[in-house]
Amino acid sequence: MTTPTDDAHLSVQHTSGPLAVAVVTGAMERHTASAVRSTALDVINQGQPHLILDLTGVTFCDSSGLSALIGIWHGANDADGSLALAAVPARLMRILTLTGVDTLMPIHATPADALAAHRATRRTGGGEKALPRTL
């Protein structure tokens, strides 16, 4: 069970043109995940369709949190952008792997690694492939 101090928050730490790096903290569960998704989609819709989420501070994630991440991924793809995850806690990484969500979006050890990969992908003209909206 989570406490009010575990509320999940998303705060943008850095923007550069169409890219934003945001930090998610707290518990992503049924009471908080929709706010994280909404905030991330606002960032995407305000001109940063390429989003890197630093998940270092995520203390808990249930199916609602997982659904929020998938919704953010869809929003980024719909805006011709991308979603990458960085510093994913071990418990959340297990969930991403078990559900196959780790195959949808790049996962990096650190936000710096995610930034470097994003820059390299943009330089070479590559990008993540959008999969059908069947999830």
Side-chain angles (χ1 to χ4, degrees):
M1 177 162 50
T2 59
T3 63
T5 59
D6 287 337
D7 284 352
H9 299 281
L10 183 144
S11 60
V12 176
Q13 299 297 306
H14 171 77
T15 61
S16 177
L19 171 70
V21 178
V23 175
V24 180
T25 57
M28 290 182 55
E29 44 87 26
R30 70 184 180 115
H31 298 291
T32 61
S34 62
V36 170
R37 178 188 345 219
S38 178
T39 303
L41 293 177
D42 286 347
V43 171
I44 290 166
N45 293 327
Q46 291 173 6
Q48 281 85 32
H50 299 285
L51 185 60
I52 296 170
L53 294 182
D54 177 348
L55 302 178
T56 305
V58 173
T59 58
F60 176 79
C61 184
D62 67 7
S63 61
S64 298
L66 184 63
S67 178
L69 291 174
I70 294 168
I72 296 165
W73 177 80
H74 279 298
N77 278 303
D78 289 349
D80 294 322
S82 61
L83 173 65
L85 306 180
V88 179
R91 279 188 169 191
L92 178 52
M93 190 64 215
R94 281 193 297 275
I95 292 169
L96 296 174
T97 302
L98 286 171
T99 58
V101 173
D102 65 327
T103 64
L104 296 178
M105 57 199 79
I107 299 174
H108 303 277
T110 67
D113 291 343
L115 276 169
H118 174 81
R119 289 181 183 127
T121 299
R122 300 303 156 226
R123 271 196 309 273
T124 61
E128 293 82 34
K129 292 182 182 178
L131 299 178
R133 288 187 72 118
T134 57
L135 293 176

